[in-house]
Amino acid sequence: MARAAKSDLGPDPEAPVRLPVLTGEIGAQRIEGVSGVGAQRGKVLREAGIETLADLLLRLPRRYLDRSHIVPIEAAPIGEEVTLLVRVLRPGQAPRFRRGRQPPREVVVEDGSGTLRCVWFRGGHYHNFEAGDLLALSGRLETYKNQRQVSHPEYEFITTTDDDSGARGDLLHTGGIIPLYASSADLQERGLRSRGFRRLVRAALSLVEGGIVAAVDESIAAGQDLPSLEAALKDVHFPPSRDRAEDGRRRLALEELYHLQREMDRRRQRRLSQAGASIAPSKQLVPRLIERLDFELTAAQTRVVEQISSDLQQSHPMRRLLHGDVGSGKTLVALCAALQAIEAGYQVAVMAPTEILADQHFQTWQSLLSPMGLSPALLKGGQRAAVRRELLTGMQTGALCLIVGTHALLQEDVGFSRLGLVIVDEQHRFGVEQREQLIRKSDAVHTLVMTATPIPRSLALSMYGDLEVSVLDELPPGRLPVRTALRSPDRRDRILAFVAEQISEGRQGYLVYPTIEESQASDLLSAEAAFEELSSGALARYRLGLLHGRLSTEEKRSVMSRFAAGDLDVLVATTVIEVGVDVANATVMVIEHAERFGLAQLHQLRGRVGRGAEAAYCILVAYPTDTEEQLWRERLDALCATDDGFELARTDLRMRGPGEFLGTRQAGLPELQIADLVRDEDLLEVARAAAVGSDR
Ligand code: ADP
Ligand code: MG
């Protein structure tokens, strides 16, 4: 993973990748001091990243084998987490690499009572099993096509040729709960299996006994009914009960989250010590803007506008993250902030992730600002040299007070005379590189970052703990929830008839496709093909437009403005319309191949409808796949069940984990070893209170 340079907008990539949980000398002792660790084993451990006692003790068991809970396959309850002792019957074929869809790996196991299918979809980790391998295996038992199945089970080989042979007997005959260090696959390959690992851990625990110093006061832990740090370490490795194991893990998680919050607080303090422009509240422009609107600001908008206004008055640069669900009215909040800066004589840059969105912002801002005698400028790639030169000069001299643009704003030759505020819209769509360039440009400048991917509070606190966070938790009044339904492709005629019905009532609609054009490598429907087919078929009576990323800027702009003006009834599009497109008369969206899209993206797409007073509809069309069906069904069902972006974000986070949820590791989130942002959300608040309130 390439390391990002330092930035204040996202987390600081220089943050310790692993947070210290066991601080102090005791944890820092070399692993070679543990009995049983000689030169050879020490080398193996070091290669697996275990150099100190802390490294060893914080490799928590990934799973516990509870002997009393091992069940025969036939008796195992469907839908629940089960632990089984099995023998590989048919190892199956490891899928060969192919372009496009990859078949799942299927392994059939048995235990005398019955057989079970284990499947690994793309990305799953498995060994090349051989028939006869003995495994301790656990996971959630499902049924698929009338057969018992576990997807992506956790497993551990329990028959081996080295010192762990006989482990099966050991598992069967050892009472209590046994830690499985399944994550030590790399160690396993080098001959250090769970059993050997357990011995090392036991030895290490006795070495640290009595010497562990916690960063979180034990009284705070006790207040959460959690054990001391030392007791927690014991419990987590050798738990007297499942509950004690979990409490132990949570105590360690609390310690880890505390260090995370300390780090975030340090960054915030650093920022607060920087000097920035103090911008007085607006006396003229903001009140005039608000007066001219034909609606009232929501209470949430008013609150956030005030928060930002008071930030701008400070003498250190603002770093505020505004997150609000799609349609919550972030633009207006941004506009108020911009006007405050402009009135005080500063320049404002507004940056959007796509040209379509930059265009749209430009038009919105222009229509709201021009009656007040202000005119924004638009800077983006592909402009004629003369136009560009003129814009750059205007920015450099300060003649231009408000510049809307794409990341073209970040190019080297772009300079400002008195930049006071940078507004970044839909920041999650920018790459790390672009965000950094922006920061370099706006070092001591007030920055407002907006995102419509609602981030659950737990994530916001850990990832953006150094930013101030505002939430627009209220939609403008009169919005009806978008009625969302999941349909199969054989209902296509009725779906199109429904779209036609909406159009004949004067409404407009979007048909969204996963790809631009047809290709031989996949059998996905494409926007181009659908546009051809529908124009002369089911929707021939209506005015259709085609919009995708490969059109020229001019073509895109023309299609968008015709749709916005009502000169097109239906927009056949790819996901280029995902963000920012704002046409209140559009009331229906059909998303083809909804199974291909992620939850956040679907929610964003759906946010394009339901922006007016009319009832709005979103129809998800899913094409059956032989793999991952449970996963996409869960996503699409969640989407049908709620309109609430925060709830969906939580589901998404739970399903995908923070790394992927935030757009892979790009986000630079310090890696949490122990804490789980979903499970331990409550502890995050406790850790934050402890970290911010203490001087340790
Ligand atoms: P988003 O938060 O998704 O960027 P926008 O700023 O695009 O949302 O606002 C969505 C729509 O709601 C726009 O058409 C905007 O004019 C309208 N809007 C914003 N605030 C209000 C309000 N307080 N009352 C009514 N409509 C509003
Ligand atoms: Mg927006």
Side-chain angles (χ1 to χ4, degrees):
M1 177 177 71
R3 279 212 143 189
K6 198 171 145 191
S7 115
D8 257 2
L9 256 199
D12 188 338
E14 280 172 30
V17 177
R18 301 165 93 198
L19 294 152
V21 176
L22 276 185
T23 47
E25 284 169 29
I26 196 100
Q29 285 181 47
R30 311 290 309 168
I31 193 73
E32 282 80 3
V34 180
S35 78
V37 180
Q40 176 58 27
R41 184 151 276 191
K43 182 164 169 278
V44 169
L45 287 166
R46 273 197 311 277
E47 281 169 10
I50 297 174
E51 298 192 2
T52 64
L53 291 191
D55 294 338
L56 178 66
L57 291 173
L58 296 175
R59 278 287 173 107
L60 301 194
R62 196 151 68 161
R63 205 167 267 276
Y64 302 93
L65 200 56
D66 190 340
R67 189 188 159 255
S68 56
H69 280 72
I70 291 177
V71 287
I73 291 175
E74 277 306 308
I78 309 289
E80 286 179 26
E81 289 277 321
V82 295
T83 303
L84 308 160
L85 285 179
V86 300
R87 184 187 303 273
V88 174
L89 194 60
R90 286 194 295 276
Q93 287 287 313
R96 263 170 300 149
F97 181 76
R98 266 204 305 155
R99 281 184 72 85
R101 196 174 291 161
Q102 201 172 312
R105 168 78 185 273
E106 293 194 5
V107 174
V108 179
V109 301
E110 58 90 20
D111 71 349
S113 80
T115 60
L116 170 80
R117 176 167 47 192
C118 303
V119 286
W120 283 266
F121 301 115
R122 193 161 36 93
H125 175 83
Y126 52 81
H127 285 81
N128 282 321
F129 303 105
E130 288 177 15
D133 281 345
L134 289 178
L135 307 173
L137 179 148
S138 43
R140 182 186 297 276
L141 189 65
E142 308 152 352
T143 50
Y144 181 69
K145 293 187 176 152
N146 281 329
Q147 224 190 308
R148 288 168 182 252
Q149 168 176 310
V150 177
S151 322
H152 293 208
E154 304 255 358
Y155 59 86
E156 167 140 329
F157 286 98
I158 53 174
T159 175
T160 67
T161 49
D162 68 4
D163 69 340
D164 273 15
S165 63
R168 175 166 198 176
D170 188 15
L171 288 171
L172 283 176
H173 294 114
T174 310
I177 295 168
I178 297 142
L180 291 183
Y181 298 90
S183 59
S184 53
D186 44 347
L187 291 176
Q188 285 201 26
E189 269 152 34
R190 294 193 184 85
L192 186 62
R193 282 155 229 278
S194 273
R195 200 168 153 203
F197 207 79
R198 283 197 282 277
R199 276 199 295 269
L200 286 182
V201 169
R202 201 183 279 287
L205 277 175
S206 64
L207 283 179
V208 299
E209 197 163 343
I212 288 174
V213 185
V216 176
D217 208 288
E218 297 294 3
S219 67
I220 293 177
Q224 301 297 312
D225 292 327
L226 295 176
S228 72
L229 188 56
E230 186 166 323
L233 273 173
K234 284 188 186 139
D235 285 355
V236 87
H237 287 289
F238 299 102
S241 71
R242 281 193 176 257
D243 286 352
R244 291 273 293 274
E246 172 61 5
D247 285 350
R249 188 198 61 78
R250 278 169 58 81
R251 175 64 186 87
L252 297 178
L254 176 62
E255 199 77 4
E256 184 177 33
L257 292 171
Y258 171 87
H259 288 292
L260 174 69
Q261 292 301 322
R262 288 288 290 168
E263 173 60 24
M264 291 299 178
D265 197 46
R266 263 193 294 278
R267 292 186 204 173
R268 188 168 49 232
Q269 297 305 336
R270 200 160 60 211
R271 172 165 59 78
L272 292 180
S273 65
Q274 275 181 334
S278 165
I279 298 179
S282 159
K283 292 210 178 60
Q284 306 265 326
L285 297 177
V286 173
R288 267 167 61 198
L289 171 78
I290 291 173
E291 214 168 89
R292 291 178 38 83
L293 296 174
D294 46 17
F295 50 75
E296 305 270 303
L297 294 191
T298 63
Q301 282 172 318
T302 306
R303 186 186 68 234
V304 175
V305 167
E306 274 163 16
Q307 282 169 344
I308 295 172
S309 168
S310 95
D311 281 358
L312 294 176
Q313 292 167 53
Q314 308 297 314
S315 55
H316 52 78
M318 167 176 82
R319 288 285 181 278
R320 189 170 280 277
L321 171 73
L322 168 57
H323 56 112
D325 210 342
V326 222
S328 58
K330 293 184 290 295
T331 312
L332 209 54
V333 172
L335 199 55
C336 291
L339 288 177
Q340 180 172 343
I342 292 169
E343 187 170 324
Y346 288 96
Q347 291 172 296
V348 177
V350 181
M351 199 167 92
T354 64
E355 283 193 5
I356 292 180
L357 190 51
D359 279 336
Q360 179 129 12
H361 266 304
F362 176 68
Q363 276 154 26
T364 309
W365 292 56
Q366 193 173 41
S367 68
L368 287 161
L369 294 180
S370 59
M372 306 167 75
L374 295 169
S375 46
L378 178 64
L379 183 81
K380 52 186 192 174
Q383 282 170 317
R384 275 190 298 123
V387 174
R388 182 178 168 82
R389 221 173 9 251
E390 198 179 320
L391 284 169
L392 293 188
T393 312
M395 289 158 75
Q396 230 127 41
T397 59
L400 293 174
C401 63
L402 178 67
I403 301 92
V404 179
T406 58
H407 50 263
L409 276 176
L410 298 176
Q411 273 150 18
E412 285 305 324
D413 56 347
V414 176
F416 295 86
S417 91
R418 232 187 148 211
L419 185 61
L421 170 66
V422 171
I423 297 170
V424 185
D425 197 13
E426 312 289 354
Q427 72 104 29
H428 57 282
R429 298 277 307 246
F430 285 97
V432 184
E433 187 57 27
Q434 291 164 346
R435 263 179 264 169
E436 271 144 33
Q437 276 177 307
L438 179 80
I439 295 307
R440 255 175 270 132
K441 278 231 182 306
S442 58
D443 197 13
V445 172
H446 297 292
T447 310
L448 175 65
V449 174
M450 307 197 287
T451 178
T453 295
I455 298 164
R457 185 167 163 74
S458 59
L459 263 196
L461 272 181
S462 43
M463 186 188 172
Y464 298 113
D466 57 333
L467 306 191
E468 316 296 336
V469 178
S470 294
V471 185
L472 282 180
D473 50 5
E474 184 185 357
L475 292 180
R479 295 278 171 80
L480 297 167
V482 178
R483 285 201 221 156
T484 306
L486 176 59
R487 294 283 178 261
S488 76
D490 53 25
R491 307 264 295 257
R492 199 149 186 262
D493 291 350
R494 285 165 64 185
I495 295 168
L496 291 172
F498 179 75
V499 172
E501 197 180 296
Q502 289 286 306
I503 301 170
S504 41
E505 283 172 23
R507 307 279 91 79
Q508 291 161 283
Y510 301 98
L511 304 181
V512 182
Y513 293 83
T515 58
I516 298 178
E517 59 185 24
E518 278 184 346
S519 86
Q520 296 198 318
S522 82
D523 43 14
L524 296 180
L525 299 178
S526 74
E528 273 183 355
F531 178 74
E532 292 300 318
E533 184 205 318
L534 297 172
S535 304
S536 57
L539 299 178
R541 292 165 49 213
Y542 305 104
R543 298 162 300 173
L544 271 55
L546 176 65
L547 186 70
H548 58 68
R550 229 178 281 156
L551 298 178
S552 73
T553 306
E554 212 30 68
E555 287 167 319
K556 273 187 247 174
R557 203 214 318 265
S558 146
V559 172
M560 250 341 280
S561 61
R562 277 156 64 210
F563 187 70
D567 296 337
L568 291 174
D569 300 310
V570 174
L571 211 50
V572 178
T574 57
T575 54
V576 288
I577 60 162
E578 178 183 338
V579 289
V581 173
D582 185 23
V583 176
N585 191 44
T587 56
V588 59
M589 171 174 285
V590 180
I591 304 176
E592 292 275 10
H593 285 291
E595 80 280 359
R596 310 280 301 194
F597 298 109
L599 199 45
Q601 194 172 24
L602 289 167
H603 178 62
Q604 292 271 334
L605 279 168
R606 177 172 63 175
R608 301 308 114 214
V609 294
R611 303 195 143 230
E614 307 290 335
Y617 307 87
C618 178
I619 302 160
L620 309 168
V621 186
Y623 290 72
T625 53
D626 15 345
T627 61
E628 295 182 342
E629 171 149 349
Q630 278 127 344
L631 289 178
W632 63 250
R633 270 202 189 278
E634 192 178 340
R635 285 201 300 270
L636 301 186
D637 287 345
L639 203 73
C640 292
T642 182
D643 234 10
D644 180 336
F646 281 92
E647 204 178 314
L648 289 172
R650 289 186 57 84
T651 306
D652 203 17
L653 177 61
R654 181 174 51 72
M655 287 183 71
R656 291 197 292 157
E660 262 203 65
F661 175 86
L662 292 166
T664 69
R665 295 173 178 179
Q666 211 196 63
L669 187 71
E671 259 172 65
L672 293 170
Q673 280 191 91
I674 294 164
D676 173 322
L677 292 175
V678 180
R679 247 155 104 193
D680 303 322
E681 195 172 0
D682 56 330
L683 292 180
L684 198 53
E685 305 274 353
V686 178
R688 185 170 166 86
V692 174
S694 90
D695 295 314
R696 271 198 220 210

